[in-house]
C-alpha cells in the first residue's frame, strides 16, 4: 500500500516592515497596477495613505504586494470563515404510516448529520383521516427521540404541531 504524506505549510502574510524583498509588484488601494517598485517607496506610499502594504502572492521575480487596510482584511476573512462553519438545520418529513425500512434509513441519516454537528428537525405531516389518529404521530415522535438519544438531545418537542428538533449531544 502506497501512502503519501502531504505537508501544508501555513504562512502568515507579511505586512509593512516584515517584507524582506528589495522590490515588489505593487497594486495600489484603487486596484491599479503600479508595476515593479522599490519596497521602501511602496511602504512610504502606503503609510501616506494610512494603509498597510501586504504581500498577496509570492511571485517568481518579486512578490506581489497590495495597499489595503490589513485589519479590515482580517475581519472579512474571519467573518467568511465563521459563516462557513455555522451548523445547519436539516429537515426530515414523515407521514404516520411510514414503512419500517424508510424510517430506519431516515434515522441513520439523521444520526450521521448529528454526528457531523448539524441539527435535525423532524416533522410529521397528517392528511385527511390521519388527523383522527394524532396519538400515533405523537408516539412516532417519542420513538424518534428514543432512537436518537445516543447521538443527540431534544431541543424542542411540540406534540401539538408534531415537530421535534434534535441537536448534537
Amino acid at each position: 500500500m502506497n501512502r503519501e504524506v502531504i505537508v501544508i505549510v501555513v504562512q502568515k502574510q507579511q505586512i509593512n516592515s516584515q517584507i524582506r524583498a528589495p522590490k515588489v509588484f505593487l497594486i495600489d488601494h484603487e486596484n491599479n497596477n503600479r508595476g515593479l517598485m522599490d519596497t521602501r517607496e511602496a511602504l512610504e506610499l502606503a503609510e501616506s495613505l494610512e494603509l498597510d502594504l501586504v504581500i498577496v502572492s509570492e511571485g517568481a521575480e518579486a512578490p506581489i504586494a497590495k495597499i489595503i487596510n490589513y485589519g479590515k482584511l482580517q475581519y472579512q476573512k474571519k467573518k467568511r470563515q465563521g459563516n462557513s462553519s455555522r451548523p445547519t438545520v436539516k429537515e426530515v418529513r414523515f407521514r404516520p404510516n411510514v414503512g419500517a425500512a424508510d424510517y430506519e434509513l431516515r434515522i441513520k441519516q439523521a444520526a450521521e448529520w448529528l454526528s457531523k454537528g448539524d441539527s435535525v428537525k423532524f416533522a410529521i405531516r397528517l392528511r385527511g383521516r390521519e388527523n383522527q389518529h394524532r396519538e400515533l404521530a405523537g408516539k412516532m415522535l417519542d420513538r424518534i427521540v428514543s432512537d436518537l438519544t445516543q447521538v443527540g438531545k431534544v431541543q424542542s418537542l411540540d406534540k401539538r404541531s408534531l415537530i421535534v428538533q434534535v441537536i448534537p449531544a
Side-chain angles (χ1 to χ4, degrees):
M1 190 169 188
N2 206 3
R3 291 189 177 175
E4 288 183 29
V5 177
I6 299 171
V7 179
I8 299 172
V9 178
V10 178
Q11 277 188 322
K12 196 170 182 188
Q13 286 182 315
Q14 296 176 352
I15 60 169
N16 298 334
S17 61
Q18 297 172 348
I19 300 171
R20 299 283 172 233
K23 292 187 181 268
V24 293
F25 282 108
L26 183 67
I27 299 170
D28 66 9
H29 62 291
E30 296 171 338
N31 281 337
N32 298 325
N33 189 352
R34 293 276 187 107
L36 192 61
M37 181 182 262
D38 190 50
T39 304
R40 273 189 237 121
E41 286 177 40
L43 199 57
E44 287 171 9
L45 182 63
E47 286 173 359
S48 70
L49 294 167
E50 296 181 5
L51 294 171
D52 301 304
L53 184 67
V54 180
I55 297 290
V56 180
S57 174
E58 291 292 330
E61 191 177 321
I64 299 170
K66 192 171 185 179
I67 297 176
I68 50 175
N69 184 342
Y70 186 68
K72 189 175 180 181
L73 177 75
Q74 291 297 95
Y75 171 76
Q76 288 172 342
K77 194 181 287 185
K78 193 173 185 179
K79 192 173 173 183
R80 273 194 306 265
Q81 197 175 35
N83 287 343
S84 65
S85 65
R86 185 179 302 146
T88 57
V89 178
K90 307 282 187 175
E91 186 171 348
V92 178
R93 292 182 183 164
F94 280 123
R95 298 279 306 278
N97 56 353
V98 68
D102 289 335
Y103 175 82
E104 291 299 322
L105 181 74
R106 299 270 175 87
I107 292 296
K108 284 181 186 175
Q109 197 174 36
E112 267 184 48
W113 290 333
L114 288 166
S115 65
K116 289 180 181 175
D118 296 331
S119 60
V120 183
K121 177 181 173 182
F122 290 92
I124 299 178
R125 303 279 179 197
L126 300 177
R127 289 185 183 164
R129 284 195 172 173
E130 291 172 350
N131 281 306
Q132 294 173 349
H133 303 287
R134 288 184 77 82
E135 69 279 353
L136 293 175
K139 288 178 184 175
M140 187 177 201
L141 286 176
D142 293 334
R143 184 174 161 206
I144 291 168
V145 170
S146 66
D147 288 347
L148 293 173
T149 51
Q150 294 175 342
V151 289
K153 58 184 178 182
V154 177
Q155 183 180 19
S156 64
L157 174 63
D158 187 2
K159 285 193 178 181
R160 193 161 181 209
S161 58
L162 301 174
I163 294 173
V164 64
Q165 187 153 357
V166 183
I167 56 173

